[in-house]
Amino acid sequence: MSVKKRLFGTFGVRRTANDVLTPEFASRLAACYGSVIKGKIAVGGDTRTTSRMLIDAVKSGLLSAGCDVVDLGILPTPAVQYAVRNYYDGGVMITASHNPPKYNGIKFLDEFGIGIPDEIDVKIEEIYFDGEPNRASWDSMGESYTNDNIIQEYIDTVVETVDANAIREAKLKVVLDCGSGAGCFTAPYLLRALGCELITLNCQADGFFPGRDPEPIEENLTELISVVKKLNADIGLAHDGDADRTICIDDEGNFVLGDKTFSLVEEHMLKENNGGIVVTTVATSQAIYDIAEKYNGEVIATAVGDLLVARKLKDENGLFGGEENGGLIFPGFVYGRDAAMTVAKILEIIAKEKKPLSKLVAELPNYYSKKMKVECSDELKEQVMENVAKEVSETTDFEIDTTDGVKILKEDGWIIIRPSGTEPIFRCFAESDSQEKADEMAKWGIELVKKYTN
Ligand code: MG
């Protein structure tokens, strides 16, 4: 089981802004982080109304702990990760990603720009609750800098990495919906640099998120979908609040599932590089494995969490990675989910294959999935997991993988049964070659959990 943490979730701290997440809280937590990490720390934030207040509080805390700080301003999370990896000793991003406007959060990065691991989370919490952060004396105060070049450099690097000429020649018509999040500062400029005919929706930065909810799920993207259809665009693109995820709408106005985007880019990356290591979580589609087999790839599966995928990619010198929610990681560029490189890669694929996105998606391996959940108190979770694993291994011949929860591999599909880290529930996620079978398998998983919770 994972370590018990008092403040941190899977990636930083996320709370109601100025309620729990006050400047005093942020400043002390940043001083604790600065006491552990030390050196020159970059700080950035998303477009929320409370981000500037928290950026300034975090900078004060870091300076107090004796760190130098570099203010990067308002920009996407992956742009901060890019900056840290190339220039700094650590980084702090103020964002609540896809959560509603009243929330905010603090993400802490290590020297590679990867979210800090659990051990460091725990160390920071210990200082926060049981100790005192380092407080520098008046004559050893750090310096406070700004760096306004990161956004341009981040965009330029993406453009240099792909075949920009091929994309320009394709003259793609793109509808972009930044949801008034941090992508407003990068995505429109990237698409123009790639020669696209650009139509923008919600591309004015606004912490009220007036156009749509920052979470790019299908029900929040109805406007984008209808504009793509009306204008006969080649593609619709949407980002979440801190622009680390990209969601695509195809040329027919269909919402493209994260698994599909992942498979499509995986195929392209493996072809381009004659194979390589692909890292994903145990909850992603069999399609990832099918494509890897076809194009000389090797898949490594971690427990669920983008930080774990990013760290594994670094440790294994991996080529590419991602999650089923459309968060794709290009470790040659940024050790974290990156929306801008995802956009550029997808446009490159459309341009080079000379096929519409709907056709490219239709050519991918196709599986059907079903997600269900069932209540279970936190105290019972561990025991339930053990019982489920025991029952399956004793009563069936199915192979079991316990990297995260219990994953049961059958001939015609798989099912993963995992306790939620934040809610008193178990999640069951099944995938098979027909919808009927996937539904049936998910139901079977739910019944298994229920047997031991009653
Ligand atoms: Mg995000």
Side-chain angles (χ1 to χ4, degrees), residues 131-329:
E132 276 304 318
N134 184 36
R135 298 293 184 186
S137 60
W138 70 271
D139 56 355
S140 57
M141 274 291 123
E143 296 290 333
S144 182
Y145 306 91
T146 56
N147 183 347
D148 301 328
N149 298 323
I150 292 301
I151 286 179
Q152 194 57 50
E153 212 184 298
Y154 170 78
I155 295 169
D156 290 347
T157 309
V158 173
V159 173
E160 284 159 20
T161 306
V162 295
D163 189 342
N165 283 331
I167 301 172
R168 288 182 190 123
E169 276 163 26
K171 292 193 170 44
L172 300 167
K173 189 191 246 191
V174 179
V175 187
L176 169 69
D177 181 350
C178 287
S180 294
C184 296
F185 296 101
T186 51
Y189 306 96
L190 171 67
L191 289 163
R192 289 206 180 95
L194 292 171
C196 298
E197 183 187 338
L198 180 63
I199 298 100
T200 57
L201 299 174
N202 307 312
C203 283
Q204 82 287 12
D206 190 330
F208 287 83
F209 301 105
R212 69 158 166 92
D213 185 281
E215 187 167 19
I217 49 176
E218 188 167 5
E219 62 187 270
N220 292 335
L221 301 179
T222 48
E223 195 190 2
L224 174 62
I225 290 169
S226 79
V227 174
V228 167
K229 284 185 187 163
K230 269 201 189 111
L231 299 183
N232 280 319
D234 294 298
I235 189 171
L237 297 165
H239 297 310
D240 66 335
D242 64 330
D244 60 349
R245 279 197 290 144
T246 296
I247 290 297
C248 300
I249 306 299
D250 74 17
D251 49 292
E252 290 174 356
N254 299 307
F255 182 90
V256 180
L257 290 172
D259 265 339
K260 299 288 182 188
T261 320
F262 186 4
S263 313
L264 185 64
V265 179
E266 180 198 13
E267 185 176 28
H268 180 73
M269 291 290 284
L270 287 172
K271 270 202 234 172
E272 213 176 41
N273 295 279
N274 298 312
I277 292 175
V278 176
V279 180
T280 185
T281 77
V282 285
T284 19
S285 176
Q286 175 63 31
I288 303 305
Y289 294 83
D290 296 353
I291 289 168
E293 201 174 325
K294 200 166 160 193
Y295 297 101
N296 198 25
E298 183 198 332
V299 180
I300 300 176
T302 69
V304 172
D306 55 319
L307 259 59
L308 300 172
V309 175
R311 201 162 287 282
K312 189 59 116 182
L313 279 164
K314 180 175 176 296
D315 293 347
E316 301 288 338
N317 197 18
L319 173 70
F320 169 66
E323 301 174 293
E324 91 291 347
N325 65 8
L328 305 187
I329 304 175

Side-chain angles (χ1 to χ4, degrees), residues 14 77-78 95-99 107 214 216 239-245 306 337:
R14 207 172 288 177
T77 298
T95 179
S97 188
H98 60 270
N99 290 116
K107 289 178 171 182
H239 297 310
D240 66 335
D242 64 330
D244 60 349
R245 279 197 290 144
D306 55 319
R337 299 191 293 215

Side-chain angles (χ1 to χ4, degrees), residues 1-2 4-5 7-15 98-99 304 373 376-378 381 418-427:
M1 282 312 271
S2 58
K4 267 267 166 277
K5 293 194 273 188
L7 276 175
F8 288 93
T10 46
F11 194 168
V13 177
R14 207 172 288 177
R15 298 283 194 282
H98 60 270
N99 290 116
V304 172
K373 56 186 176 186
C376 174
S377 66
D378 289 335
K381 281 174 178 172
R418 299 176 54 238
S420 161
T422 50
E423 294 168 75
I425 56 168
F426 262 88
R427 296 182 195 282

